[in-house]
Amino acid sequence: MQSTTAVIDRSAQAYPPAVVQIGVCMSTAVSAQRQQVALDFESGDVVQLLDPAGNRLADSHYDPLITDLTDDRLTALYEDLVIVRRIDTEATALQRQGELGLWPPMLGQEAAQVGSARALRSDDFVFSSYRENGVAYCRGVELVDLVRTWRGTAASGWDPYTVGMATPAVIIGAQTLHATGYAIGCKKDGVDSVAVAYFGDGATSEGDVSEAMVFAASFAAPVVFFCQNNHWAISEPVGLQAVRPIADRAPGFGIPSVRVDGNDVLAVTAVMREALKRAREGGGPTFIEAVTYRMGPHTTSDDPTRYVDPLQREEWAGRDPLARVEKYLELSDEVAAGIAQRADRVAAEFRAGCLELDDPEPLSLFDNVYATPHSGIARQRSRYSAYLEGFES
Amino acid sequence: MTELTLSKAIGTGLHRALAEDDRVVLLGEDIGTLGGVFRVTDGLLAEFGSDRVMDTPLAESAIIGTAVGLAFRGFRPVVEIQFDGFIYPGFDQIVAQVAKMHYRTGGKVRMPLTIRVPYGGGIGAVEHHSESPEAYFAHTAGLRVVTCSTPQDAHTMIRDAIACDDPVLFFEPKRRYWTKGDVDEDASYPLEKARVVVEGSDVTLLAYGPLVQTALDAAIAAGDEGISIEVIDLRSLSPLDYDTIEASVNKTGHVIITHEAAEFGGMGAELAAGITDRCFFRLEAAPQRVTGFDIPYPPARLEEHFLPDLDRILDAVDRVLGRTNSLTGWTK
């Protein structure tokens, strides 16, 4: 159990079972504000079906939801985990090589993203933040489309309607309202599609997330609030956003919630399927807190050595989402090599696509500002066009 | 032709839109059972049901944000912001999401939202109930901003706004809600286009929303002194119909712009610059602005000093023509 390294301070907390203070060497210098809300495996409030050692934990409630996940199917999920990590690594490399302006790594969050996204149907609709590139991959977003924004060649990457996923919202938490509105629309249309909002622990402090929960509850919207608590909002620890587990907020809005080990792809799949079923059957919204850890920087512009405690990071490295599946499946070298090879091919295709992205035409500046003709934009376009032509003659 | 109040003319426009397009949905605070605090949506819940006319919880950001989600799903949401000063909690969703979504998605996702905003002062209200925030939105790429001044335009323009595939901020001059006028439901006039309300040859007077009537009164008063004023109702604040404006200023050589909103960085500043750019050699005097002051909207007992009125417009007429002010005896 990883939590043996934690010192549980139950005296100061109203709801001690889920709130622990990590007892690390920095702790004497850590203020009360920086107290960590961490994953407490011993308290029993976090759904876990596959522990970090690769042990399959029986769960009478959630096991029936994943009976179809045979070793073969789990191997396919494992391949997704490997591939999205490989894409992520490649993107970071591309940024370091000057090919991308910025990249927000998801290292460590692969299971939370793959497990939840693979539980969706094609007619469901995702509204995400910018770190959900693993979700985007699972939704079928073309590899090259993942980097258009980060290379600066387009305002966003893909057609939301072809993959059932909006392009990322950069304003933190704004997309939770879009998901709620979309879900209300599904209900109006009499379909059982579900909208999913992906966001992080930092976003839960934004008013939009609370407002989204109010609206979702009032209109019984078929929406899943999928919060990846990766412990960090750039440099701010989750303890600054919440002094109690984030999932505890939802019941106050009338929304059932669950904490799940976000590094356990089986558990994430199970809780997501339960939430989706509830939504499809008219049971309204669910709030999922996938407890995970951002193993990398906020973005490639960030320097986490200024604030991340190395011991805490090391502790989470021991809960790696891929390693536990490897231990459980005991894949043959041949199968493992095949997966690694396919991941490399994806990475090569991804890189090639990125490098082929050329700068857009200057006058495309003015495209799509409006859907219908706008005289003001037309005038500016025409003037700038004439200005540019002046250099050509 | 039916005689309607401006408020009722918007209501009948909403009714037509709901009846003609089942993707039109209304969202807002108190718009259902109550019929809106100004009764603009009166009777619509009873006729179209709560699936089409939705009373929402009190959260402007969420009202706009959920409308974005509905638009993603192909709905055509019409949102009511209860009062001008209540729009700011929804500001981020409007300027960062609604306005940019079409651009962001390379034209894949349309945002045919209409955001209705009762605005302006003159009703003796408390703080946050008399503001004119139109310039914030006119400054934002991706939004269209329009405002009506007559029952006819109220009806035609709300239907055009809803039918428009772009997001439209629809500003309703709340102190003119009870103005009556004939409405022809089949009349049409381009949403982007200004309207010459009264032709004149000496001064171009640009107004919109609640001050169009004030401008007309000023034109009549000036006429008594032999000054011919051309009043233009701008109707659209983004884009501006510079063709109509330019033609008028080239004719008169003098221009006055009036609005309730503050002067600094307001629509008048944009108009003065745009007109100077287009009509510089025809202008005989600097464009004059008659606006609210650069202060927070004042308490009700002071608003008569804040709001542009007939006398302040006439004072500007004197200034722009280099005449002695007929009331004070001052010269420009």
Side-chain angles (χ1 to χ4, degrees):
Chain A
M1 286 298 174
Q2 303 303 317
S3 55
T4 52
T5 58
V7 176
I8 300 175
D9 175 11
R10 296 178 189 276
S11 60
Q13 297 294 331
Y15 291 83
V19 181
V20 300
Q21 188 156 14
I22 302 281
V24 296
C25 61
M26 288 169 72
S27 63
T28 51
V30 171
S31 71
Q33 270 193 334
R34 296 201 45 160
Q35 176 182 308
Q36 303 294 307
V37 176
L39 182 63
D40 179 359
F41 290 106
E42 285 180 320
S43 70
D45 72 336
V46 175
V47 179
Q48 188 183 63
L49 302 179
L50 195 58
D51 75 11
N55 299 311
R56 179 72 169 82
L57 310 175
D59 186 307
S60 60
H61 181 75
Y62 288 105
D63 284 348
L65 291 168
I66 52 166
T67 51
D68 60 316
L69 291 187
T70 57
D71 283 1
D72 279 355
R73 295 285 301 279
L74 185 55
T75 303
L77 281 177
Y78 172 72
E79 182 163 330
D80 285 337
L81 296 174
V82 171
I83 287 174
V84 300
R85 178 170 289 185
R86 188 70 186 81
I87 290 170
D88 197 57
T89 310
E90 194 67 22
T92 296
L94 284 163
Q95 194 280 333
R96 294 299 184 229
Q97 292 156 2
E99 298 295 345
L100 299 180
L102 190 73
W103 180 256
M106 62 168 153
L107 186 66
Q109 299 176 225
E110 296 86 352
Q113 296 196 15
V114 169
S116 56
R118 285 298 186 206
L120 300 175
R121 292 194 323 218
S122 62
D123 62 321
D124 295 330
F125 211 96
V126 170
F127 292 86
S128 79
S129 162
Y130 42 77
R131 205 180 301 284
E132 278 71 60
N133 290 296
V135 176
Y137 170 80
C138 292
R139 294 303 281 166
V141 170
E142 297 288 332
L143 295 170
V144 67
D145 288 346
L146 293 174
V147 289
R148 289 182 193 276
T149 307
W150 309 107
R151 194 164 163 86
T153 59
S156 71
W158 57 86
D159 179 350
Y161 294 119
T162 62
V163 291
M165 178 170 178
T167 53
V170 178
I171 300 292
I172 302 299
Q175 74 279 13
T176 56
L177 288 169
H178 308 164
T180 302
Y182 190 92
I184 292 169
C186 291
K187 216 174 149 186
K188 288 183 191 304
D189 284 339
V191 298
D192 69 349
S193 308
V194 177
V196 183
Y198 283 89
F199 52 100
D201 46 297
T204 61
S205 296
E206 292 281 358
D208 277 0
V209 176
S210 289
E211 291 187 18
M213 287 198 273
V214 171
F215 272 55
S218 289
F219 296 112
V223 58
V224 178
F225 296 106
F226 193 90
C227 174
Q228 290 171 83
N229 171 4
N230 72 7
H231 282 74
W232 295 101
I234 306 188
S235 70
E236 296 189 348
V238 64
L240 188 59
Q241 317 293 338
V243 297
R244 285 182 43 181
I246 289 165
D248 284 3
R249 286 187 202 178
F253 291 96
I255 297 175
S257 71
V258 58
R259 295 187 95 200
V260 62
D261 179 351
N263 287 7
D264 173 356
V265 73
L266 282 183
V268 171
T269 303
V271 300
M272 190 66 176
R273 285 180 173 183
E274 183 179 46
L276 291 167
K277 184 168 183 289
R278 179 180 294 132
R280 293 194 210 291
E281 292 174 354
T286 301
F287 189 104
I288 295 171
E289 179 190 353
V291 186
T292 178
Y293 198 84
R294 197 193 75 207
M295 298 299 288
H298 164 66
T299 67
T300 45
S301 295
D302 183 28
D303 175 11
T305 64
R306 293 175 74 97
Y307 56 84
V308 167
D309 176 64
L311 291 182
Q312 187 192 36
R313 189 182 178 282
E314 193 181 314
E315 185 181 354
W316 278 93
R319 297 172 186 155
D320 185 69
L322 277 67
R324 70 180 70 188
V325 185
E326 287 161 12
K327 289 174 191 160
Y328 173 74
L329 286 174
E330 296 177 337
L331 297 173
S332 69
D333 290 347
E334 189 188 344
V335 173
I339 290 172
Q341 211 172 41
R342 285 193 287 283
D344 283 341
R345 272 208 301 273
V346 169
E349 185 192 332
F350 176 59
R351 166 174 287 270
C354 171
L355 300 182
E356 280 169 17
L357 287 176
D358 290 331
D359 288 354
E361 289 300 315
L363 289 179
S364 70
L365 276 172
F366 302 97
D367 292 346
N368 298 309
V369 181
Y370 293 89
T372 55
H374 184 283
S375 55
I377 297 292
R379 184 171 194 261
Q380 287 194 343
R381 182 193 191 107
S382 143
R383 288 193 151 194
Y384 192 61
S385 172
Y387 170 81
L388 290 179
E389 279 167 21
F391 292 96
E392 289 163 14
S393 54
Chain B
M1 232 24 138
T2 323
E3 190 183 54
L4 297 173
T5 61
L6 188 146
S7 136
K8 193 68 191 166
I10 298 170
T12 57
L14 293 171
H15 185 281
R16 281 285 293 266
L18 282 161
E20 288 169 2
D21 183 352
D22 63 9
R23 301 309 279 176
V24 172
V25 290
L26 272 52
L27 297 90
E29 298 161 7
D30 303 300
I31 67 165
T33 310
L34 183 66
V37 294
F38 293 105
R39 307 293 182 269
V40 172
T41 54
D42 191 29
L44 298 178
L45 172 66
E47 185 161 349
F48 294 98
S50 59
D51 223 29
R52 309 281 309 281
V53 181
M54 298 169 65
D55 268 331
T56 65
L58 272 67
E60 287 75 14
S61 185
I63 295 171
I64 306 289
T66 51
V68 169
L70 284 162
F72 252 95
R73 217 187 138 75
F75 286 90
R76 209 168 265 278
V78 183
V79 162
E80 177 177 306
I81 297 296
Q82 197 163 69
F83 279 91
D84 36 60
F86 301 176
I87 201 167
Y88 308 112
F91 196 74
D92 173 69
Q93 285 289 339
I94 296 173
V95 305
Q97 306 300 331
V98 174
K100 295 184 169 77
M101 197 63 76
H102 189 262
Y103 190 76
R104 180 182 302 152
T105 60
K108 299 295 194 297
V109 179
R110 291 189 169 185
M111 286 287 126
L113 269 76
T114 302
I115 301 172
R116 296 180 38 237
V117 191
Y119 82 119
I123 63 164
V126 296
E127 199 180 8
H128 314 301
H129 292 69
S130 302
E131 300 184 7
S132 298
E134 64 273 14
Y136 294 122
F137 303 101
H139 186 68
T140 302
L143 301 176
R144 290 173 182 276
V145 182
V146 304
T147 178
C148 56
S149 67
T150 65
Q152 177 66 66
D153 267 353
H155 181 88
T156 309
M157 289 172 74
I158 189 67
R159 287 173 60 192
D160 288 348
I162 295 169
C164 181
D165 281 338
D166 287 314
V168 180
L169 269 289
F170 187 84
F171 283 97
E172 303 173 1
K174 71 167 89 76
R175 68 164 137 146
R176 307 295 184 195
Y177 268 146
W178 302 278
T179 299
K180 286 185 176 173
D182 284 335
V183 174
D184 174 359
E185 292 203 5
D186 299 322
S188 71
Y189 195 83
L191 191 59
E192 258 197 49
K193 210 163 158 45
R195 192 198 300 275
V196 178
V197 187
V198 170
E199 288 190 21
S201 53
D202 297 329
V203 177
T204 297
L205 176 53
L206 303 175
Y208 56 88
L211 290 185
V212 172
Q213 185 56 53
T214 312
L216 286 171
D217 294 344
I220 292 168
D224 290 345
E225 296 184 38
I227 300 165
S228 169
I229 294 189
E230 179 149 300
V231 177
I232 294 180
D233 178 356
L234 293 172
R235 297 174 83 255
S236 173
L237 305 181
S238 175
L240 283 162
D241 175 11
Y242 273 115
D243 288 347
T244 300
I245 296 165
E246 199 174 335
S248 177
V249 176
N250 280 338
K251 178 172 68 176
T252 64
H254 303 93
V255 63
I256 297 169
I257 306 136
T258 187
H259 52 65
E260 292 186 14
E263 183 179 69
F264 190 90
M267 290 306 305
E270 165 58 35
L271 284 158
I275 290 166
T276 305
D277 183 32
R278 290 165 174 83
C279 310
F280 184 74
F281 294 106
R282 183 63 191 89
L283 282 173
E284 293 175 26
Q288 296 296 308
R289 288 176 282 173
V290 183
T291 70
F293 301 114
D294 297 333
I295 61 171
Y297 199 88
R301 295 297 179 96
L302 282 172
E303 68 179 341
E304 66 174 296
H305 293 285
F306 176 88
L307 293 171
D309 61 9
L310 186 144
D311 285 340
R312 280 177 60 200
I313 292 175
L314 291 177
D315 173 60
V317 170
D318 290 335
R319 275 185 282 130
V320 80
L321 292 176
R323 284 166 36 106
T324 302
N325 184 300
S326 52
L327 296 177
T328 65
W330 283 16
T331 309
K332 180 185 173 185

